Amino acid sequence: GGGGSAATNSTAPTSPTSPVVAASLLTGTAATGAALANAPVTITNSAGNSPCVETSITTTALGSYSCTLKAGEVAPFFIVVTDPTGDKPPMVSISTTTPPAGSALTMNVTPLTTAIVAQLASPPDALSVVNSRTVDATQLATVTTNVVAQLQAVLTAIGVPAGYDPFTTAIT
């Protein structure tokens, strides 16, 4: 004789799962003509805090850096690269764009980006813009467009691609 087995129909409680969101990155190159190697990189948000997961960022031998943005961070991001030799003043770049989740946004830091950012302050001073923790994205875009237009003949002569942006065009 067979006894049937009693089937139990129990379901384990389910906990809501949050979708895993891929982190966004700010990446770029610090260069003064040549790559700026082993240079400290400081990135701050509009509150003056680091938006990066990394506690310390230093450029590679090729001048590149990477910041993994903490969840919920939004532009603007102020990027300062300090020459480790102290020979040159700090260089500045500003991102007014937050990269979409899972993607990287190139943000170069060069004497040209520093000069453009400096034009947003009176008198021109890139670090005062960083310290103010505010940026007018429209004004930054206008100054960038004007500077690129003024340099167009030189940029064309050296083979810079059409649509060049000193902040976001990858430096190779």
Side-chain angles (χ1 to χ4, degrees), residues 42-143:
T42 304
I43 302 175
T44 53
N45 58 20
S46 59
N49 301 317
S50 172
C52 307
V53 171
E54 298 81 3
T55 55
S56 173
I57 301 172
T58 303
T59 60
T60 67
L62 299 176
S64 65
Y65 74 90
S66 183
C67 155
T68 306
L69 291 173
K70 296 173 187 170
E73 290 290 343
V74 294
F77 302 113
F78 302 89
I79 306 154
V80 178
V81 177
T82 306
D83 181 351
T85 67
D87 289 344
K88 296 185 177 17
M91 297 185 300
V92 175
S93 188
I94 298 176
S95 172
T96 58
T97 303
T98 304
S103 67
L105 176 66
T106 298
M107 288 307 305
N108 298 314
V109 189
T110 67
L112 183 55
T113 63
T114 303
I116 290 169
V117 170
Q119 298 305 308
L120 304 178
S122 182
D125 179 356
L127 288 176
S128 73
V129 176
V130 171
N131 293 334
S132 76
R133 298 187 196 144
T134 60
V135 60
D136 180 329
T138 302
Q139 183 186 16
L140 179 60
T142 299
V143 171

Side-chain angles (χ1 to χ4, degrees), residues 22-26 99-105:
S24 301
L25 298 172
L26 288 179
S103 67
L105 176 66

